[in-house]
C-alpha cells in the first residue's frame, strides 16, 4: 500500500479538486468543513478516505457526486466542471459517469432486486430486453443471479449491498463512489463486498473513491487518505491498524 | 420495469392508504355526479332546448295571454312551430300528490317538442276518441302507478271547471322522453276540452312555446315577438326555454347554488385529505426520492411521477364515483329524473384532473424542493 499524495505532478487527474471550500450553517453559526482543499485522483485508481466523524468525508463524497455545491473552488471529473453545471445537467451527468454505493444500500423496498438494479437504466434509451440483459449480467457479476425476483426484505445485508453495487455499475460508469459500503455488514459480507469492488477496479478499470471508518476496508484500496481538520494527509500505520 | 410500473409499485406499497384515498375521491365524485345529474336531469333545466322559446305575459307568469296570440306568432316567417298551452296544476288523490296537465293542441305540441317527446301519430290519434282523454308522461305514470284506460281526477289549484268538479281525464296512452333529462312528469290534455269546460278565462292561455326556423337567432326572434305585442293589452316576455326553467326552479330554491356548495365542500375536504396524505407519503419516502436524484432522475421527472400517482388516485376514484352516480341515475327511475349526459361527465373529468394536479402540488413541490443530500439523511 502506497500513501496517496493529494496531487500527482504531471499526471492529469481524472478527479480534480482545486481550492475547494465548503461550510455548513448560516451567519455566525457557519462552520467551515474545508478551506482551499485540493486533490487529484488518476483514472483507474482505488482510493479510500478515512478520518474522524465530522471531518467532512461524506460531504466530500456528496461534492464529488455533484449533490452538494461548493462555496468556492472548482470540482472537475473526467473533464466535466461540476461547479459550472446546473442541477439537471449534474443529474444527467450522474447517469452516465457515476455509480454510488451507500452504507445502508438505499434500495427501493417495493422493488425486486432486478427492478432496483434496472432503475438507473430507465433513463437510458434502451429496449426492455437490453435492460433485462444488462441487469442479468451485473447480478451474475455480484453473485446474485438467482435472487433477481427477491425483494430487499428477503435478503441479507450482504446480499442487499451486492444489489446496491449491481445498481451502481449497471450503467457502466467510470467512477464509483462508496459511502461506508461495509459499515452495516458483518466481516464476511464486508469481505465479499470489498472483493467485488477490488475486481471492479482491477478487471474493469473503475475508478473508486471509498469513504470508510473501517481500516480493513481501507486496506483493500490502492491508496488511503486521511482527512482531518479540513486537510488531507497520507494515512499512517496507526490509521490502518 | 417501466416508469409506469414504478408509479404502480409506489401506489400499492400501502394498499389500504391508496384504497382509502380512492374511496374518499369516489365519494366526492359520487356526490358531485348526483348533484350534476340532478341539475342536468328533468328536475333541472338540462332537458331544455336552447333554441326553443317560451312566451309569457310581461305582467307576470300567472297572467293569461289571448289564445289568438298563437296564430299571430305562427304567422311570423321566422317561426317553424308554435304550441299554446294552458297549464292545470292540481292534485290527484291526496293533496300532497301534485300533478300538471298541459292543455294544448296535441299536434302543435308534437311539432314543438319533436325530438324531445315521443309523440307519435298513433299516440296522438288515441286522443281523438274522446275530448277528455290525456296522454301521461312515463315518469308521472310510474310515480302514480296508473294504467292506460284508467280514469283519474285532477283537483285544480287554478283553471277550475265551470261545474266546480275536479277535472276528470281518461288515460289514453303514455309518452316517453327521448332522453333521461327530458321531463315527462306531466300529462297532455286537449285544449278544446279544457277551454270549453273551464269556469273563467276562456280562450286564454298561460304561454306559448315557439320553435324558430333553422338559422334564425332565438334572441332576435324573442325580441321580434315581444315587439309584436308591445302595444297590445297583453304584452309578452319571451325568453329561452332554459332561462325560463332556470327562473322557475329558482323560485323554489337555488338548487345550482346548493349543489355547488355541497360539492365544493366535499371537494375541499378531499383536496385536503389527499394532498395531506400524499405529502405524508412523499415525505415518508424522502430517502427514496434522494436515491432517484442520485441515480440521475431529473427533478421534473420525479415531480411527474408524484403527480401521476395523484392523478391515478383521482382518475380511478373519481371514475368509480361517476360510474356509481351513473348507475344511481339509471336505478333512480324517471321520477327523480337524474341524467349524466356526456358533456356533464366530460366536465367532471376535467374537474377531476384539475383537482388531481392541485392535490399533487404540495407533495410534488416537496419532492422538487428536497435537496438530494438532505433527502438521503431522512433514512
Amino acid at each position: 500500500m502506497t500513501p496517496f499524495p493529494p496531487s500527482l505532478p504531471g499526471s492529469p487527474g481524472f478527479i480534480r479538486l482545486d481550492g475547494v471550500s465548503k461550510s455548513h450553517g448560516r451567519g455566525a453559526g457557519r462552520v467551515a468543513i474545508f478551506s482551499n482543499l485540493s486533490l487529484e485522483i488518476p483514472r483507474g485508481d482505488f482510493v479510500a478516505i478515512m478520518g474522524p466523524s465530522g471531518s467532512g468525508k461524506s460531504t466530500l463524497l456528496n461534492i464529488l457526486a455533484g449533490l452538494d455545491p461548493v462555496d468556492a473552488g472548482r470540482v472537475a471529473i473526467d473533464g466535466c466542471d461540476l461547479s459550472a453545471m446546473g442541477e439537471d445537467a449534474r443529474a444527467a451527468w450522474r447517469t452516465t459517469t457515476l455509480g454510488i454505493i451507500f452504507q445502508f444500500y438505499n434500495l427501493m423496498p417495493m422493488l425486486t432486486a432486478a427492478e432496483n438494479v434496472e432503475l438507473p437504466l430507465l433513463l437510458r434509451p434502451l429496449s426492455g430486453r437490453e435492460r433485462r440483459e444488462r441487469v442479468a449480467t451485473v447480478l451474475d457479476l455480484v453473485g446474485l443471479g438467482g435472487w433477481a425476483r427477491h425483494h430487499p426484505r428477503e435478503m441479507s445485508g450482504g446480499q442487499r449491498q451486492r444489489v446496491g453495487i449491481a445498481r451502481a455499475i449497471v450503467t457502466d460508469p467510470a467512477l464509483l463512489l462508496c459511502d461506508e459500503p461495509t459499515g452495516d455488514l458483518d466481516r464476511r459480507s464486508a469481505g465479499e463486498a470489498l472483493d467485488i469492488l477490488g475486481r471492479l477496479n482491477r478487471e474493469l478499470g473503475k475508478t473508486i473513491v471509498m469513504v470508510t471508518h473501517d481500516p480493513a476496508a481501507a486496506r483493500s484500496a490502492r491508496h488511503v487518505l486521511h482527512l482531518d481538520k479540513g486537510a488531507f494527509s497520507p494515512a499512517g500505520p496507526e490509521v490502518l491498524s | 420495469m417501466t416508469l409506469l410500473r414504478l408509479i404502480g409499485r409506489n401506489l400499492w406499497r400501502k394498499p389500504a392508504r391508496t384504497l382509502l384515498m380512492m374511496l374518499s375521491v369516489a365519494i366526492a365524485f359520487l356526490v358531485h355526479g348526483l348533484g350534476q345529474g340532478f341539475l342536468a336531469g328533468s328536475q333541472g333545466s338540462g332537458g331544455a332546448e336552447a333554441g326553443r322559446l317560451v312566451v309569457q305575459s310581461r305582467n307576470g307568469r300567472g297572467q293569461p295571454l289571448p289564445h289568438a296570440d298563437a296564430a299571430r306568432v305562427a304567422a311570423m316567417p321566422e317561426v317553424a312551430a308554435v304550441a299554446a298551452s294552458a297549464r292545470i296544476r292540481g292534485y290527484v288523490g291526496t293533496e300532497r300528490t301534485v300533478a300538471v296537465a298541459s292543455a294544448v293542441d296535441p299536434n302543435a305540441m308534437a311539432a314543438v317538442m319533436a325530438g324531445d317527446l315521443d309523440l307519435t301519430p298513433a299516440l296522438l290519434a288515441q286522443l281523438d276518441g274522446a275530448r277528455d282523454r290525456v296522454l301521461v308522461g312515463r315518469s308521472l305514470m310510474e310515480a302514480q302507478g296508473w294504467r292506460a284506460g284508467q280514469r283519474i281526477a285532477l283537483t285544480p289549484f287554478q283553471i277550475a271547471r265551470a261545474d266546480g268538479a275536479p277535472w276528470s281525464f281518461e288515460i289514453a296512452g303514455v309518452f316517453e322522453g327521448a332522453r333521461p333529462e327530458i321531463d315527462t312528469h306531466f300529462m297532455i290534455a286537449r285544449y278544446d276540452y279544457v277551454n270549453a269546460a273551464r269556469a273563467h278565462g276562456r280562450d286564454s292561455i298561460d304561454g306559448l312555446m315557439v320553435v324558430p326556423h333553422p338559422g334564425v337567432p332565438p334572441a332576435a326572434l324573442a325580441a321580434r315577438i315581444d315587439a309584436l305585442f308591445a302595444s297590445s293589452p297583453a304584452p309578452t316576455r319571451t325568453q329561452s326555454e332554459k332561462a325560463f326553467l332556470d327562473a322557475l326552479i329558482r323560485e323554489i330554491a337555488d338548487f345550482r347554488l346548493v349543489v355547488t356548495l355541497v360539492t365544493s365542500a366535499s371537494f375541499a375536504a378531499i383536496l385536503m385529505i389527499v394532498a395531506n396524505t400524499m405529502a405524508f407519503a412523499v415525505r415518508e419516502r424522502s430517502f427514496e426520492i434522494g436515491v432517484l436524484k442520485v441515480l440521475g432522475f431529473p427533478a421534473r421527472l420525479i415531480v411527474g411521477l408524484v403527480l401521476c400517482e395523484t392523478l391515478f388516485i383521482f382518475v380511478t376514484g373519481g371514475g368509480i364515483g361517476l360510474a356509481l352516480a351513473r348507475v344511481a341515475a339509471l336505478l333512480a327511475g324517471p321520477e327523480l329524473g337524474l341524467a349524466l349526459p356526456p358533456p356533464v361527465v366530460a366536465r367532471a373529468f376535467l374537474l377531476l384532473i384539475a383537482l388531481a394536479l392541485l392535490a399533487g402540488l404540495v407533495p410534488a413541490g416537496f419532492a422538487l424542493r428536497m435537496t438530494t443530500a438532505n433527502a438521503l439523511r431522512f433514512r
Side-chain angles (χ1 to χ4, degrees), chain A residues 88 94 106 110 115 131, chain B residues 1 9-10 13 300:
Chain A
D88 277 356
R94 279 196 292 272
N106 286 1
M110 73 290 184
E115 288 168 339
R131 289 202 305 266
Chain B
M1 194 178 64
R9 290 296 177 85
N10 274 327
R13 65 169 61 199
R300 62 179 179 281

Side-chain angles (χ1 to χ4, degrees), chain A residues 127-200:
Chain A
S127 69
R129 186 178 168 182
E130 287 171 314
R131 289 202 305 266
R132 283 190 296 276
E133 281 173 1
R134 278 207 192 190
V135 168
T137 303
V138 291
L139 280 176
D140 280 341
L141 190 72
V142 298
L144 288 176
W147 289 81
R149 290 173 181 274
H150 288 262
H151 284 83
R153 64 177 176 275
E154 299 161 343
M155 307 172 96
S156 69
Q159 287 171 321
R160 288 181 208 182
Q161 190 56 293
R162 281 189 276 160
V163 174
I165 294 171
R167 184 180 62 187
I169 62 173
V170 74
T171 55
D172 195 22
L175 173 63
L176 286 177
L177 299 178
C178 312
D179 189 5
E180 302 271 11
T182 58
D184 199 43
L185 300 180
D186 58 41
R187 184 53 54 196
R188 184 165 157 263
S189 299
E192 288 170 355
L194 291 169
D195 183 47
I196 293 170
L197 290 177
R199 278 169 49 212
L200 289 170

Side-chain angles (χ1 to χ4, degrees), chain B residues 67 86 88 101-106 127-135 151-154 156 159-171 187-204:
Chain B
H67 185 263
I88 308 172
S102 277
V104 294
D105 171 351
L127 293 173
D128 292 342
R131 295 207 305 169
D132 62 348
R133 284 185 174 179
V134 289
L135 297 176
R151 185 160 280 283
I152 55 167
L154 179 65
I159 309 189
R161 277 176 64 97
D163 59 9
W167 291 95
S168 175
F169 297 115
E170 180 193 344
I171 299 175
M187 46 192 147
I188 295 173
R190 287 176 54 165
Y191 180 80
D192 56 349
Y193 167 62
V194 170
N195 191 50
R198 68 192 293 177
H200 310 287
R202 283 204 182 134
D203 295 329
S204 71

Side-chain angles (χ1 to χ4, degrees), chain B residues 251-264:
Chain B
E251 283 179 21
I252 306 165
D254 194 342
F255 289 115
R256 191 167 292 278
L257 179 67
V258 171
V259 168
T260 305
L261 286 176
V262 168
T263 51
S264 299

Side-chain angles (χ1 to χ4, degrees), chain A residues 24 62 67-68 87-88 91-92 94-95 100 102 104-112 115 118-120 122-123 131-132 151 167, chain B residues 1-3 5-6 9-10 13 287-301 368 370-373 376-377 379:
Chain A
H24 286 317
N62 284 341
L67 301 175
D68 248 354
E87 191 166 336
D88 277 356
R94 279 196 292 272
T95 63
I100 301 187
F102 301 95
F104 297 108
Y105 336 122
N106 286 1
L107 302 177
M108 303 284 179
M110 73 290 184
L111 302 181
T112 63
E115 288 168 339
E118 195 181 353
L119 261 183
L122 294 180
L123 303 168
R131 289 202 305 266
R132 283 190 296 276
H151 284 83
R167 184 180 62 187
Chain B
M1 194 178 64
T2 59
L3 288 174
R5 199 176 171 87
L6 180 61
R9 290 296 177 85
N10 274 327
R13 65 169 61 199
F287 99 91
E288 292 174 20
I289 289 172
V291 170
L292 288 179
K293 288 188 172 181
V294 166
L295 294 179
F297 279 64
R300 62 179 179 281
L301 178 58
L368 186 66
M370 193 189 304
T371 63
T372 315
L376 293 175
R377 287 186 196 113
R379 202 175 194 306

Side-chain angles (χ1 to χ4, degrees), chain A:
Chain A
M1 175 127 7
T2 315
F4 181 78
S7 180
L8 293 174
S11 169
F14 177 67
I15 299 172
R16 290 182 70 109
L17 270 69
D18 292 330
V20 166
S21 297
K22 178 70 183 173
S23 54
H24 286 317
R26 286 179 184 174
R30 200 165 182 85
V31 179
I33 309 295
F34 328 116
S35 185
N36 203 26
L37 188 74
S38 294
L39 173 68
E40 193 169 331
I41 298 174
R43 183 186 293 273
D45 210 336
F46 185 171
V47 178
I49 297 174
M50 300 187 74
S53 295
S55 60
K57 301 185 300 294
S58 293
T59 302
L60 177 66
L61 220 54
N62 284 341
I63 288 171
L64 291 177
L67 301 175
D68 248 354
V70 293
D71 299 338
R74 182 171 169 270
V75 181
I77 294 176
D78 199 14
C80 290
D81 186 355
L82 297 192
S83 334
M85 291 160 75
E87 191 166 336
D88 277 356
R90 288 202 305 269
W93 168 80
R94 279 196 292 272
T95 63
T96 56
T97 312
L98 188 67
I100 301 187
I101 298 161
F102 301 95
Q103 177 179 1
F104 297 108
Y105 336 122
N106 286 1
L107 302 177
M108 303 284 179
M110 73 290 184
L111 302 181
T112 63
E115 288 168 339
N116 266 290
V117 175
E118 195 181 353
L119 261 183
L121 295 180
L122 294 180
L123 303 168
R124 295 288 189 88
L126 296 172
S127 69
R129 186 178 168 182
E130 287 171 314
R131 289 202 305 266
R132 283 190 296 276
E133 281 173 1
R134 278 207 192 190
V135 168
T137 303
V138 291
L139 280 176
D140 280 341
L141 190 72
V142 298
L144 288 176
W147 289 81
R149 290 173 181 274
H150 288 262
H151 284 83
R153 64 177 176 275
E154 299 161 343
M155 307 172 96
S156 69
Q159 287 171 321
R160 288 181 208 182
Q161 190 56 293
R162 281 189 276 160
V163 174
I165 294 171
R167 184 180 62 187
I169 62 173
V170 74
T171 55
D172 195 22
L175 173 63
L176 286 177
L177 299 178
C178 312
D179 189 5
E180 302 271 11
T182 58
D184 199 43
L185 300 180
D186 58 41
R187 184 53 54 196
R188 184 165 157 263
S189 299
E192 288 170 355
L194 291 169
D195 183 47
I196 293 170
L197 290 177
R199 278 169 49 212
L200 289 170
N201 174 247
R202 285 190 308 275
E203 296 170 17
L204 299 176
K206 304 291 179 198
T207 307
I208 299 177
V209 177
M210 174 174 67
V211 160
T212 183
H213 275 113
D214 179 3
R219 281 196 295 269
S220 66
R222 293 188 193 187
H223 301 103
V224 182
L225 278 179
H226 188 69
L227 180 62
D228 194 13
K229 298 185 178 71
F232 284 118
S233 59
E238 74 286 356
V239 174
L240 297 172
S241 62

Side-chain angles (χ1 to χ4, degrees), chain B residues 42-77:
Chain B
S42 59
Q43 305 290 315
S45 59
E49 176 60 49
R52 203 154 44 210
L53 300 173
V54 173
V55 184
Q56 291 188 297
S57 168
R58 175 166 288 178
N59 299 325
R61 199 160 52 79
Q63 300 302 310
L65 292 173
H67 185 263
D69 284 2
R72 291 184 68 186
V73 171
M76 294 172 76

